[in-house]
Amino acid sequence: MEPQSLIQQEEQSQSVSLQDCLKLLTGERDEQRLAGLLLVTKFTKSDDLLSLKAIYDAVGPHFLDRLLRTGLGKGVVSSGNGENRDAYLLLSVTVLSAFCRVPQIASSKEMVSKIPMVLEVMSKDSGLPVLEECYEFLYLVSAASEDGLTALFECGGMKLLAGQMSALSDGSHLMELAMKLVQMMLKKLSEGFIENDCLSELSIIVANVARQFALLQSALKFEALHLLSAIFSSEYLTLLHDALRVIPNENWSNHIRDGVATILQNRVAPAEKFEALILAESMVSIKGEGWLIGQINLPNVQDPIPADRCLLLVLESSRVEVAVLLNDLAYTKYEASKSSSSTAETIISKQQKVTIVFSLVEKIIKLISNIGETEGNPVDESTFIKVINGLNETIGVVLEYLQDAKEHGQKVGNDLLASVRLVGSYLAETPVACKDKIELLLGYMLSVEGEDELSPFYSVCFLLPMLCQMTMEIEGCRLLASSGGYKAVVDCLIKLIEQNRHGVEDNDCVFLACDTIMNFLLKRMQFPFPEDESTFFNLLKALAVWTEKTNDQSVVMMASSICSLILDLTSENDLLNHPGFSSSCLDSLSQLIARSLASWGQGVSDVAKADMDLLEIVTAGYSRWADRFPQIRKAVEG
């Protein structure tokens, strides 16, 4: 028989079957309609949308609703009084999911209204045939309209999926549909439909999807990656952290590490590699930097994989991303056409990505620093050297980006501020690294501002650990003076003190700034000291006012020792002639010096041993300048 004849015969057969089906579906008795629906399940192709629409119009939503209710034991469709309820249930859900392949039907109010009943079916019946049809129905209706998705979410779809996913087979079609449903419902979470219960359910879902991400070697592995990335990229991740930390099964975090390692060590699209870095950054935030080091178990790999493999893969991928992103950012900001409306969006998108990879690099710096301070090093010397070399290369790229910005006169930008933060984190651990570049860029880095700042502040805070160590040496003090960076540190300390007085305490930064200024002042005779004493006069005022109401002896001694060193530079008359420095400020300063000197001779019970060096600075200074400050002398000796 000719192929054309076969096709015609098939079309005629289908046409006859459709006509028979439509005749039965429009019958007066339920038995006829049931027979017609059974015919639907036998001959109608899932992609024959025209036939499905015609059949749906013939049977009508009312009978389908009665059939589903009968299957749930809530109604009757024939004289049988529901004896074949299971069969009715399977039939109703099967034809409903078939009809919903027609988008017009799936988005209808009638189908949306059936979502609660289908969820009820799923909660009562775990039989595979009906369950698969239920998942198909929910997916098609939710994908077809916003109302369907809202109904799924508000009727407890997330809770039901959280309860069922652990029982679904790895890599199954049901698991795929469940993951797609969760992906869609994330949109509702981002719109503010989030409650504490939902966080708990979402954490359970994360654990189940993590298993798919680790074990599967199919396209579904990437679906798991996309879903986990979407969850960890969302604005509610912070709220999710606590829920994830208390999941009883710890394997989920190992599964994510296994999956991340697989993605990063294979040839995959750049976008998917970046999603793996998003997961790594989130996991380190949740579990700590130690998550990067751990046993990796990859499917079909028998030989043991070194525990530090994930660390090296994440660092190398982050290094590449930093180089690419900063190069793209520099081109977009300084060379690309500014007329393009997409330029600003491109810059923001790349800046957000830079934030993620910078965070990862910063956490690796912290990890390596902590490892160096503990016994039983989990990283061997070879890996340690590879990490240090990778970090050096990455910081070098970041410094080149800052140099480029400097040459283009750019000082404001969150990407620049993030770059300064990363450089500060690294140089706090290795102050001598990149010495030549730091000498050229220190003044510029201290001038960088975030987009919401009115003057440099956070950039200075980020560099304080490095500056504190740097000023322990004469060369460091000389660089701080020649670059003008000492002014930025003084301004930063004044601002920190002001915040501290208003209840925003950042004592680590305060004392780092104090130590930096003290180092600078103590060594002033050994390098060209700047001749603008007035820079320090406002600091005198801030320190005196800061200590007026504190009983913290360490604060009093730190403040008075810095003040004593500054008073070496001036006299009482010069101070009182300085704008903004009133006699009341001098009174506060006098009381501060008097309080600190009153500790002399009282023994270590009143002055901690750690403060004895500070007390010596105050007393030595007082002996030098007391004659120039009669009011302070009166307060001390009066």
Side-chain angles (χ1 to χ4, degrees), residues 81 211 242 278 326 330 429 581:
N81 293 323
R211 176 179 168 83
D242 290 339
I278 290 174
L326 293 186
E429 305 300 331
F581 200 95

Side-chain angles (χ1 to χ4, degrees), residues 97-378:
S97 65
F99 288 142
C100 285
R101 294 187 181 278
V102 182
Q104 182 182 348
I105 298 174
S107 62
S108 67
K109 290 182 179 179
E110 288 80 8
M111 292 299 139
V112 172
S113 69
K114 290 176 176 53
I115 285 179
M117 284 190 285
V118 172
L119 289 172
E120 185 179 346
V121 172
M122 294 170 68
S123 65
K124 290 182 176 180
D125 195 327
S126 59
L128 189 60
V130 71
L131 197 60
E132 189 151 352
E133 301 294 350
C134 287
Y135 271 87
E136 289 275 3
F137 172 84
L138 291 178
Y139 173 70
L140 292 168
V141 175
S142 300
S145 73
E146 192 67 27
D147 288 342
L149 183 57
T150 300
L152 174 65
F153 187 86
E154 293 182 346
C155 292
M158 191 75 82
K159 183 175 183 179
L160 185 137
L161 290 174
Q164 290 193 350
M165 284 182 79
S166 60
L168 303 180
S169 300
D170 294 331
S172 63
H173 181 54
L174 276 177
M175 179 63 77
E176 180 181 6
L177 288 173
M179 286 164 54
K180 288 181 176 179
L181 287 168
V182 173
Q183 182 95 45
M184 288 192 292
M185 282 191 283
L186 290 179
K187 180 181 177 183
K188 288 301 169 187
L189 295 182
S190 66
E191 292 174 355
F193 291 90
I194 190 159
E195 299 174 359
N196 290 333
D197 287 346
C198 195
L199 290 173
S200 175
E201 293 154 4
L202 198 57
S203 67
I204 295 170
I205 289 171
V206 166
N208 285 306
V209 177
R211 176 179 168 83
Q212 307 305 302
F213 182 47
L215 300 183
L216 300 182
Q217 299 301 311
S218 63
L220 196 54
K221 184 186 195 73
F222 293 96
E223 291 296 325
L225 170 64
H226 301 327
L227 177 52
L228 290 170
S229 173
I231 293 173
F232 287 144
S233 299
S234 59
E235 64 272 22
Y236 45 83
L237 174 62
T238 304
L239 299 174
L240 186 60
H241 279 192
D242 290 339
L244 287 169
R245 288 190 182 102
V246 297
I247 293 180
N249 183 358
E250 281 292 315
N251 282 337
W252 73 275
S253 65
N254 297 332
H255 283 149
I256 292 185
R257 183 171 55 241
D258 295 347
V260 165
T262 305
I263 296 295
L264 294 182
Q265 75 176 6
N266 285 290
R267 292 184 178 180
V268 299
E272 287 164 339
K273 281 206 170 188
F274 195 84
E275 286 185 335
L277 292 180
I278 290 174
L279 297 191
E281 196 279 333
S282 299
M283 291 306 301
V284 173
S285 298
I286 296 168
K287 306 295 286 187
E289 293 81 12
W291 176 86
L292 289 165
I293 301 175
Q295 183 61 49
I296 298 175
N297 300 296
L298 301 184
N300 305 319
V301 177
Q302 301 299 324
D303 296 333
I305 298 173
D308 54 24
R309 174 69 59 82
C310 186
L311 167 63
L312 292 173
L313 287 168
V314 168
L315 176 58
E316 175 60 17
S317 297
S318 298
R319 183 191 64 77
V320 172
E321 288 291 344
V322 166
V324 171
L325 286 169
L326 293 186
N327 183 64
D328 289 350
L329 262 177
Y331 175 80
T332 306
K333 290 169 69 173
Y334 308 133
E335 298 181 39
S337 172
K338 298 298 188 294
S339 60
S340 173
S341 59
S342 63
T343 299
E345 294 178 4
T346 300
I347 290 175
I348 291 172
S349 173
K350 291 188 183 300
Q351 285 177 338
Q352 290 171 341
K353 289 184 175 181
V354 164
T355 300
I356 292 170
V357 289
F358 274 14
S359 175
L360 266 174
V361 175
E362 196 168 344
K363 288 177 170 70
I364 291 172
I365 292 169
K366 184 177 179 181
L367 173 66
I368 292 300
S369 173
N370 291 338
I371 285 175
E373 297 172 358
T374 57
E375 297 181 1
N377 194 339

Side-chain angles (χ1 to χ4, degrees), residues 425-500:
S425 297
Y426 190 56
L427 295 182
E429 305 300 331
T430 56
V432 297
C434 312
K435 183 179 178 182
D436 293 341
K437 289 183 178 179
I438 295 302
E439 288 181 359
L440 294 173
L441 284 172
L442 180 60
Y444 168 76
M445 289 194 293
L446 290 168
S447 71
V448 166
E449 301 170 20
E451 290 169 11
D452 298 327
E453 291 186 280
L454 299 177
S455 61
F457 174 65
Y458 289 111
S459 58
V460 186
C461 291
F462 295 150
L463 293 171
L464 280 175
M466 176 198 75
L467 294 172
C468 186
Q469 294 187 61
M470 188 179 78
T471 50
M472 291 180 183
E473 305 295 334
I474 302 300
E475 285 302 315
C477 293
R478 182 180 287 113
L479 177 58
L480 196 61
S482 62
S483 66
Y486 68 95
K487 295 180 181 179
V489 178
V490 169
D491 290 342
C492 177
L493 179 53
I494 291 172
K495 195 172 292 186
L496 285 166
I497 289 171
E498 187 67 21
Q499 290 182 354
N500 199 289

